Amino acid sequence: MNFIKLPFLLKLALAVISIIGIGYLIKLGQSILAPFFLAFLMAMLFLPLANFMERKLKFPRSVSTIVSVMIMLIILTGMIYFFGSQISSFSKDLPHLSKQFNLVFHNLQNWVSHTFNVKIDEQFDYLDQGLAKLLSSSGVILGFTFGVFSTSLGFLAFFILFFVFILNYRRILNNFIVNVFNEKHKASVQEVVSEVRIMTKRYIIGLCLQVIIVSVLATIVLTILGVKYAILLGVLTGLLNVIPYIGIAISLLISCFIAFATGTVSTCVYVAIGYVIVHAIDGNIVLPFVVGSKVKINALFSFIGILLGEHLWGISGMFLCIPAIAIIKIIFERVDGLKPWGKLLGEEEKPHKKKKSYKISKNITLKEMD
């Protein structure tokens, strides 16, 4: 069959239109695609446990799926209970935090007054106008709060259902993906599917290890410095660190604010220094060891992915963008016409290590497929 060679500008136009169309569909299907993709990642994490129960313990697939769901729900319930108890204890210090905030706000007002020649009374007038507009839209605020609450419940319900279906019907899904292509491409497709499955499983495991290690390091630093709620802030730091570059900055601001409100300015400075050290350990030791070897995405496209993920799916998109880019990278590297794009997403590799890393990856893939 003879294929018509299209001009470059026509190819570019078709590519741009396709990207815009796919992005619009992803944005439109956020309520379904976001929990589905998260359920896919969690299913890959629980896949070894499900296989162990089916092969070693001789459990039926439905029973192994139910057990996996129960374990996941127990973990989620434990996390919710932990954060609930910590936040309940944290609420006792809200009056002190409010007092400290008022003091900082007063100092800021004086600085604005001296710097921009804006009187404090005028500043209060601006704030009163803004609060009046905000309070006038209380119905909108209540509707937004109810919408967020109902959306979270819907997200959780869809996530659990998709998790059950993916684990229970994983063989059917795998066979569909392989058989939908021509016979001559089945071997390559099977290799890509196996590699995506292995990469996803190892990435999620590595990510969980990274969260635990960063949480422990941050908790130790905050405990040594005598910051209140060190465990809560440490765990929050580990979870936010999943968002590259932005998460550690947000957790740093939160920890510095709590340290400043419950301690002294010097404590706040020491917390900032401690977080810089934790981030350096995470970026140079923890990340390459437990995550970086599985997913090699360069910093530029990681940051672009975070921005696009937040624009398309909000906060959940910021968490899910990196594994999504990693899966896209693996697929691109297996398609002849898209290999340059796969290389563009990844990190630069040293020439003398490239061949060795390829053999190791190939042996691991064959072992996992067996």
Side-chain angles (χ1 to χ4, degrees), residues 291-303:
V291 178
S293 59
K294 283 78 176 177
V295 184
K296 293 183 178 180
I297 306 296
N298 61 61
L300 173 61
F301 284 94
S302 296
F303 187 71

Side-chain angles (χ1 to χ4, degrees), residues 53 58 91 93 119 161 236 340 346:
M53 288 187 289
K58 305 301 181 181
S91 62
D93 273 346
K119 296 181 179 180
L161 289 175
L236 184 63

